[in-house]
Amino acid sequence: MESVSDGEPAVRRRPKDRKAQIARASADAFGSQGYHAVSMEDIAARVGITPAALYRHSSSKYDLFRDAVLGLGQMLVDATAFADDLDDDPAGTLRALTSALVDTTIGCRTAGGLYRWEARYLKDPDRAVLVDQLKVVNRRLQIRLAQLRPKLTSSQQRTLLTATLSVIGSITDHSNPLATGEIRLCLNTMATDLLAAELPTTRRRTGVRREAVSPGAEAGMYEHVLYESVRLFYEHGYRNTSMEDIASAVGIQTSGLYRSFPGKADILALAYRRAADRHSSDTADALSRTSDPEVALDELIDDYIGRVMESPDLPYVYYTERHNVPEADLRVLETIEHSTMDAWARLVTAARPELKVGAARYAVAAAFSLTVDFGRLFNRDADPESVATIRRLMEVTLLGRPVKRRR
């Protein structure tokens, strides 16, 4: 214990910002590890206090989680509150709103994915609060967009705003290096392009239409297990799904499942590897067929949307449960992902020479993210016009405009 000049022991006082320290540590822990993987001991260690001291601040992990998620939602509300007093310049206000959301997201990048991916663990009353917070932010944006583009339907306005928010939030899903100023410029540019995008109003080519697949026992146990596992992970979460649940869904004994798969984490890793390998293979195939970067991107967009439509549950699980993948498998997975993203980014920079490869990677990650977000919205009910809308949004995100049409 420290001593003062008269020899008496100093009294160690609690830091005045201890509550804020706990809030930041909780948000970062839940954001990087997911709700179920975090313990009170983990949060206490991040703050540098004992678990007992943490319990004096909060009675449960859930309370810290709720406060972290709703705290992020309130940050978005507060960051856009200035718009309520501005009515004379809708274009300037809309730019300022998106810029404020970009800055807020950059400032809480580690924890920012909480409200995107982990909010499913909120209790109903708390989830309702988050929904209300996001409605406030959306309303502020939609008012200005409607003033600027009065011919858009309400549905089209919501589509463009959803895409814009998805692109801004996409930086919470990856850690590609880029200077803060460049991240800000990249996100603001994509947001501006999306808010000005013309959405398809008639049916047009959407590539090869792929229906959602549902392999049963006739496909073999391996395919059946992967499909049912991903479905259960999507519906109930990885932590709330057991090997017994998977075996029951497949229609076999749990002991039989263990004879083929060492554990639940191994099944998850196999599903991830399958998705990454298919994406990598699709990319290689498209590049082997053409040297025109825009034509290649045109084909890749079709392939990517097709994969999402084919296995609509997998992309969501891919984004939300990766912290449960074993470390060795995750390293291999990241190698495949980085290689595939670099291939897409090189195509983007070839089509847009003014864009640096680092910014191109952010555009690629944003295009993937908005496709997954819209896939969740449409679920298994995406009609050709919805698919055409997703395609247009990907095109604009990657290139600022639609790509060349194939002949």
Side-chain angles (χ1 to χ4, degrees):
M1 185 175 288
E2 297 176 359
S3 297
V4 293
S5 58
D6 60 2
E8 292 295 323
V11 177
R12 185 169 295 172
R13 299 185 183 280
R14 179 184 304 165
K16 292 182 179 179
D17 65 342
R18 176 55 53 77
K19 184 176 181 179
Q21 288 179 359
I22 292 173
R24 285 194 298 271
S26 300
D28 286 344
F30 292 127
S32 60
Q33 297 173 246
Y35 174 65
H36 285 295
V38 175
S39 67
M40 293 289 275
E41 289 75 14
D42 294 330
I43 297 171
R46 285 173 178 257
V47 181
I49 60 176
T50 65
L54 180 59
Y55 274 108
R56 286 197 290 271
H57 283 273
S58 186
S59 61
S60 71
K61 182 179 79 168
Y62 177 80
D63 288 346
L64 291 173
F65 172 71
R66 176 202 59 217
D67 292 346
V69 177
L70 298 186
L72 288 168
Q74 190 60 44
M75 287 176 65
L76 299 177
V77 172
D78 294 344
T80 57
F82 68 88
D84 292 341
D85 299 321
L86 300 175
D87 291 318
D88 57 343
D89 181 15
T93 302
L94 188 59
R95 285 195 301 271
L97 281 168
T98 55
S99 182
L101 292 172
V102 166
D103 289 345
T104 302
T105 305
I106 292 173
C108 57
R109 184 173 182 176
T110 302
L114 266 179
Y115 74 90
R116 280 167 58 76
W117 305 119
E118 298 293 299
R120 56 188 166 152
Y121 297 119
L122 287 173
K123 296 176 182 177
D124 288 343
D126 298 323
R127 190 179 299 110
V129 173
L130 177 64
V131 169
D132 287 341
Q133 290 173 331
L134 298 180
K135 282 181 178 178
V136 169
V137 176
N138 274 277
R139 176 180 56 78
R140 289 166 176 164
L141 290 162
Q142 190 167 1
I143 288 172
R144 275 70 193 187
L145 182 59
Q147 291 172 326
L148 285 173
R149 304 187 63 183
K151 292 184 179 180
L152 291 176
T153 66
S154 295
S155 176
Q156 290 173 324
Q157 292 167 12
R158 289 193 296 271
T159 294
L160 294 180
L161 291 174
T162 298
T164 300
L165 294 174
S166 179
V167 161
I168 293 172
S170 68
I171 66 167
T172 67
D173 301 327
H174 65 89
S175 56
N176 289 321
L178 200 64
T180 300
E182 293 178 286
I183 297 174
R184 184 178 292 112
L185 176 61
C186 183
L187 294 181
N188 278 312
T189 298
M190 287 189 288
T192 298
D193 290 340
L194 284 167
L195 292 173
E198 295 295 336
L199 294 175
T201 55
T202 58
R203 293 193 175 190
R204 42 148 290 183
R205 183 187 61 78
T206 59
V208 179
R209 181 78 172 109
R210 298 182 188 172
E211 301 295 335
V213 296
S214 304
E218 69 281 357
M221 188 181 73
Y222 181 77
E223 295 296 333
H224 199 189
V225 167
L226 286 185
Y227 171 77
E228 291 295 343
S229 298
V230 169
R231 180 183 65 79
L232 291 170
F233 296 154
Y234 175 81
E235 292 178 359
H236 307 294
Y238 174 84
R239 294 277 175 161
N240 294 328
T241 300
S242 66
M243 289 289 275
E244 290 76 13
D245 294 329
I246 297 170
S248 176
V250 175
I252 62 174
Q253 295 294 320
T254 306
S255 58
L257 184 61
Y258 274 112
R259 280 195 294 271
S260 300
F261 301 92
K264 185 173 64 170
D266 301 280
I267 297 175
L268 181 67
L270 285 170
Y272 274 52
R273 180 63 182 270
R274 165 70 65 80
D277 280 339
R278 284 179 170 175
H279 191 188
S280 177
S281 177
D282 288 343
T283 302
D285 288 347
L287 289 172
S288 70
R289 290 191 293 268
T290 179
S291 59
D292 185 318
E294 292 195 19
V295 173
L297 281 170
D298 189 34
E299 294 187 12
L300 286 174
I301 289 170
D302 277 345
D303 289 337
Y304 190 77
I305 295 174
R307 294 294 185 189
V308 172
M309 296 298 109
E310 186 178 70
S311 303
D313 297 346
L314 181 56
Y316 178 76
V317 173
Y318 198 90
Y319 273 77
T320 57
E321 305 292 1
R322 64 186 302 117
H323 43 268
N324 292 306
V325 175
E327 185 63 32
D329 295 297
L330 191 58
R331 286 196 298 270
V332 174
L333 187 70
E334 289 175 345
T335 298
I336 301 170
E337 290 173 336
H338 290 161
S339 176
T340 305
M341 178 172 286
D342 282 348
W344 279 64
R346 285 192 296 270
L347 291 173
V348 172
T349 56
R352 300 176 72 177
E354 79 282 1
L355 205 64
K356 296 180 180 178
V357 69
R361 290 192 187 99
Y362 272 68
V364 172
F368 293 165
S369 179
L370 73 83
T371 305
V372 173
D373 282 343
F374 275 93
R376 289 169 61 200
L377 289 176
F378 294 135
N379 200 2
R380 297 173 183 272
D381 301 321
D383 56 28
E385 291 175 70
S386 299
V387 174
T389 295
I390 299 174
R391 159 176 262 287
R392 176 64 57 82
L393 296 171
M394 284 193 77
E395 293 168 350
V396 173
T397 300
L398 291 169
L399 297 173
R401 54 188 167 79
V403 299
K404 292 177 183 176
R405 297 273 57 82
R406 284 183 304 216
R407 296 188 179 185

